[in-house]
Amino acid sequence: MSGIERVGVVGCGLMGAGIAEVSARGGYDVVVVESDDARARAGHDRLEASLKRAEAKGKIDSAAEVMGRIRVVTDLSELADRDLVVEAIVEDEDAKTALFRELDAIVTSPDAILASNTSSIPIMKLAVVTQRPTHVTGIHFFNPVPVLSLVEIVPSLLTDGDTKDRARSFVTSLGKEPIDCQDRAGFVVNALLIPFILSAIRMFESGFATAEDIDRGLVLGAAHPQGPLALADLIGLDTTKAVAESLYEEFKEQLYAPPPLLARMVEAGLLGRKTGRGFYTYDK
Ligand SMILES: NC(=O)c1ccc[n+]([C@@H]2O[C@H](COP(=O)([O-])OP(=O)(O)OC[C@H]3O[C@@H](n4cnc5c(N)ncnc54)[C@H](O)[C@@H]3O)[C@@H](O)[C@H]2O)c1
């Protein structure tokens, strides 16, 4: 038993909305915090649309019932009574450490777990800014959260065994499959996936092959469900670049360095599906 009933999520973007959705579908009471009213409304609409799709596909009985367990708010202090808070804000170390300091002061139960969905920032950096490093862990979901079953559990050197067990048991209660990872940038999956995506971007940038042919090559020749450039668009090119930078910072290996084209696309606001254009264009 995880002893978790009340879940908090910070950030209601791509991942935060997904984590809130699967938690509410798992029967938990969920409070989601966004940075302002407009984003909270957008997050609420994103959640509602996803739940209605799940209802239409027969995956849940009632979108309204699940939505009834979720509140999207803008005041962080509404997380005071939570047993578990999962942070899913922008992949920026300063923003995340500032938030963990605040959460540590706000969340009252000494047993409460503060978790991060970070893809690449060492959990230790977040743990040490709190007064409860034993209760800080990585719980790394995959995108799209309602669809992909893998979750990486990433304890830091200071996380205690009970916190790790409770995090695993929470994840299992959502119908997800946890794997254990060491606290190294990229954990297991991104340490392998990001250099693969960066290689595809370099191949496209060099004019070696078109985006479509690179992606078709991997779909038809290696049975990947989608090609690496389509996957980068799905992850978000800003997030892809941020994860690559964290990996490069940690290991200083060339294969993790973001290629210039990726940097230019992020500067241009071509972030993939979420902005309607990346390596491909999308209907918004
Ligand atoms: N995109 C992916 O495929 C993926 C997969 C696994 C993990 N992650 C990780 O999940 C996290 C979120 O990524 P995302 O893709 O959902 O990003 P996103 O840009 O879609 O969402 C981030 C949200 O956080 C909100 N936010 C920012 N600062 C905030 C604050 N201080 N308080 C409350 N809300 C705040 C933003 O308004 C935005 O809605 C990142 O750490 C990322 O590395 C992403």
Side-chain angles (χ1 to χ4, degrees):
M1 277 300 292
S2 69
I4 293 166
E5 288 173 14
R6 291 175 296 270
V7 174
V9 180
V10 191
C12 198
L14 213 51
M15 296 305 292
I19 296 165
E21 175 178 335
V22 296
S23 300
R25 281 168 67 168
Y28 294 93
D29 173 87
V30 182
V31 172
V32 194
V33 183
E34 252 298 344
S35 44
D36 58 46
D37 287 338
R39 285 165 199 251
R41 259 195 308 281
H44 185 276
D45 293 350
R46 183 194 289 265
L47 273 161
E48 211 162 49
S50 177
L51 285 168
K52 283 193 177 144
R53 279 197 303 276
E55 185 186 74
K57 287 184 190 158
K59 292 187 175 163
I60 54 173
D61 293 337
S62 162
E65 190 206 322
V66 178
M67 202 63 210
R69 287 196 280 277
I70 306 176
R71 281 191 304 126
V72 187
V73 303
T74 55
D75 184 358
L76 211 57
S77 66
E78 298 214 32
L79 299 178
D81 67 349
R82 301 289 104 181
D83 305 309
L84 164 70
V85 176
V86 185
E87 166 279 312
I89 67 168
V90 60
E91 188 74 346
D92 177 292
E93 191 179 315
D94 291 344
K96 286 191 195 287
T97 48
L99 177 63
F100 268 73
R101 262 192 210 98
E102 278 191 88
L103 288 174
D104 189 35
I106 286 169
V107 177
T108 51
S109 164
D111 292 331
I113 297 174
L114 303 183
S116 176
N117 188 53
T118 178
S119 299
S120 59
I121 295 168
I123 301 304
M124 185 63 82
K125 295 200 173 178
L126 308 177
V128 294
V129 302
T130 73
Q131 303 300 312
R132 58 177 107 193
T134 52
H135 285 63
V136 175
T137 186
I139 301 183
H140 184 231
F141 290 82
F142 286 76
N143 177 28
V145 181
V147 178
L148 293 185
S149 55
L150 181 68
V151 178
E152 292 174 323
I153 304 287
V154 192
S156 82
L157 288 176
L158 300 176
T159 309
D160 67 24
D162 187 49
T163 298
K164 190 179 140 186
D165 292 346
R166 290 169 65 212
R168 275 185 81 89
S169 137
F170 168 72
V171 160
T172 310
S173 78
L174 305 180
K176 304 284 183 200
E177 300 270 353
I179 62 170
D180 293 329
C181 304
Q182 299 280 334
D183 185 19
R184 304 278 182 279
F187 316 133
V188 168
V189 173
N190 279 321
L192 296 171
L193 188 59
I194 293 294
F196 166 62
I197 290 174
L198 298 180
S199 297
I201 296 173
R202 284 188 204 101
M203 184 178 268
F204 171 65
E205 184 172 24
S206 74
F208 186 88
T210 63
E212 289 80 2
D213 280 354
I214 292 169
D215 280 353
R216 276 221 306 268
L218 272 299
V219 170
L220 301 178
H224 287 201
Q226 63 193 325
L229 300 174
L231 179 58
D233 276 358
L234 178 71
I235 294 170
L237 299 191
D238 49 347
T239 302
T240 303
K241 176 170 170 278
V243 178
E245 282 167 345
S246 295
L247 283 160
Y248 186 73
E249 166 77 18
E250 178 106 315
F251 300 109
K252 303 285 188 295
E253 288 184 30
Q254 196 59 35
L255 80 166
Y256 297 121
L261 177 63
L262 178 61
R264 288 306 91 75
M265 289 176 80
V266 172
E267 285 154 10
L270 306 177
L271 306 183
R273 279 183 184 268
K274 61 183 161 189
T275 58
R277 190 174 152 198
F279 291 101
Y280 300 93
T281 49
Y282 304 88
D283 290 333
K284 286 209 74 187

